[in-house]
Amino acid sequence: MPTPTVRRLLVGHLLRHAREQTGLDLDAAGKLIGKTNSTMSRIERGQTALPQHVLKKLANAYEQHAPNAIDLDELLDLARGSQDRGRWSGYRSVYSKYFRMAVDLEADAISIFQYQTEIVPGLLQTEQYIRALFTTAQLQLSDQSTEDAVEARLERQSVLTKPKAPQVSFVLSESSLRRRVGDRELMVTQLHHTAEIARLRNVQIQVLPFAAATAPRATHDFNLFRVPSPGNAGPLEFVYVEDFTDGRYLDGHDDVHAYTLLWQQLVAAALDPVESEKFILRVADEFAR
């Protein structure tokens, strides 16, 4: 069952798809239920929820303009539980508020594409690597906060091995493999762990070496999530990009298309998975000397 956050996003996704099928703009759609353009935009982005009776009224109105534009039963089922709370209590409370939606998208995705430039991605990190990151970052966390942060990150990694796990693809800059975190022994262990994860059937890891020709725009990390959606609306797609203090979620068609093309360029420029595993193990051997 999708997380409450993803349920809200899927409701908005289905409503936007249905509205586009009717040919109505946001103003016209809002008039059907007495809502403004800006409110309709927030609804379609999963930022505002509608009561069930209003949701039903809107869906029925769309059906009058475009039969079969939306499945009412699926829509109402997704809407149930979309306002549930409590998921971010306990050790999960260490997640930054701006990152929590990424964690939910990650949990419900059918495919994940991640480009990483400077450190090993969180889904691939060993416990020792995680602890070393918090130490070297000098975040001044309490002992309990550090333990919570480690536990929360390790929990995320279960997405790689859970039943019906998503297809997860990584392109790792050579810098992320050579950037030393902790001591040399820790790096050897981390790189061997990365190579081991690459052997999972649902995981693909490619290395972008310094010598590779690549798109000049590939200067920052990003994640592309695809979440299955009921009906004929197609998957829910989000790009997540992050800086030091904030994260942004891009779901516009142009943004998703641009990052999809960038991802394809990175995959084409990177070593293939077999050569990438050899490369990772060679770097591990260098740290072992």
Side-chain angles (χ1 to χ4, degrees):
M1 190 66 68
T3 59
T5 297
V6 172
R7 281 172 170 261
R8 289 195 300 274
L9 294 172
L10 285 170
V11 167
H13 179 61
L14 293 179
L15 288 174
R16 179 171 66 178
H17 175 75
R19 178 181 59 77
E20 290 173 347
Q21 295 299 301
T22 68
L24 298 173
D25 60 18
L26 287 171
D27 285 324
K31 290 177 181 177
L32 297 173
I33 55 172
K35 301 295 182 182
T36 64
N37 178 304
S38 60
T39 298
M40 292 301 295
S41 178
R42 290 196 300 273
I43 291 168
E44 291 188 358
R45 294 179 68 84
Q47 297 169 349
T48 297
L50 287 173
Q52 291 261 329
H53 71 281
V54 180
L55 196 59
K56 186 181 296 186
K57 179 180 178 181
L58 180 60
N60 287 334
Y62 285 162
E63 280 288 298
Q64 292 177 11
H65 286 80
N68 302 317
I70 196 165
D71 187 309
L72 181 59
D73 290 336
E74 289 179 339
L75 182 70
L76 295 178
D77 183 59
L78 281 172
R80 295 185 188 99
S82 64
Q83 300 302 306
D84 289 351
R85 295 290 185 266
R87 174 168 162 76
W88 304 112
S89 59
Y91 63 86
R92 295 192 185 102
S93 64
V94 299
Y95 288 128
S96 301
K97 289 184 178 180
Y98 63 78
F99 186 61
R100 292 176 181 180
M101 185 167 135
V103 175
D104 279 341
L105 288 167
E106 189 177 77
D108 291 320
I110 193 171
S111 54
I112 302 169
F113 308 90
Q114 183 171 0
Y115 174 59
Q116 194 82 17
T117 58
E118 291 299 319
I119 61 172
V120 174
L123 291 180
L124 303 178
Q125 293 170 5
T126 65
E127 180 175 342
Q128 294 76 16
Y129 189 97
I130 297 169
R131 292 184 183 280
L133 275 177
F134 285 115
T135 300
T136 56
Q138 297 180 333
L139 297 177
Q140 298 181 336
L141 297 176
S142 67
D143 290 344
Q144 185 58 53
S145 294
T146 298
E147 291 304 311
D148 287 347
V150 171
E151 185 174 358
R153 187 163 298 185
L154 290 174
E155 181 193 52
R156 281 178 53 213
Q157 296 176 2
S158 65
V159 73
L160 298 177
T161 55
K162 69 180 182 180
K164 297 183 180 179
Q167 293 294 317
V168 187
S169 300
F170 300 91
V171 172
L172 309 181
S173 166
E174 181 176 343
S175 180
S176 70
L177 304 176
R178 295 190 179 279
R179 180 77 59 197
R180 181 171 159 180
V181 175
D183 59 27
R184 300 177 74 87
E185 182 180 357
L186 185 154
M187 288 301 299
V188 172
T189 301
Q190 174 61 65
L191 292 170
H192 278 281
H193 176 73
T194 302
E196 182 179 350
I197 294 296
R199 299 181 190 122
L200 294 175
R201 294 179 61 183
N202 61 308
V203 176
Q204 178 172 290
I205 298 177
Q206 293 180 254
V207 175
L208 186 69
F210 293 141
T214 186
R217 294 174 297 163
T219 57
H220 60 276
D221 303 344
F222 67 87
N223 295 266
L224 174 59
F225 301 105
R226 288 190 180 138
V227 178
S229 174
N232 59 0
L236 174 69
E237 296 182 303
F238 267 90
V239 175
Y240 175 68
V241 292
E242 184 178 282
D243 59 26
F244 188 64
T245 60
D246 199 7
R248 291 189 300 139
Y249 297 88
L250 310 173
D251 66 338
H253 297 305
D254 291 344
D255 289 324
V256 171
H257 180 66
Y259 273 92
T260 299
L261 289 179
L262 178 56
W263 173 260
Q264 292 170 350
Q265 292 170 350
L266 290 167
V267 167
L271 300 175
D272 66 45
V274 173
E275 290 303 314
S276 293
E277 181 179 343
K278 294 177 182 177
F279 190 99
I280 292 168
L281 293 176
R282 283 200 300 272
V283 176
D285 287 342
E286 292 175 21
F287 274 112
R289 292 172 189 164

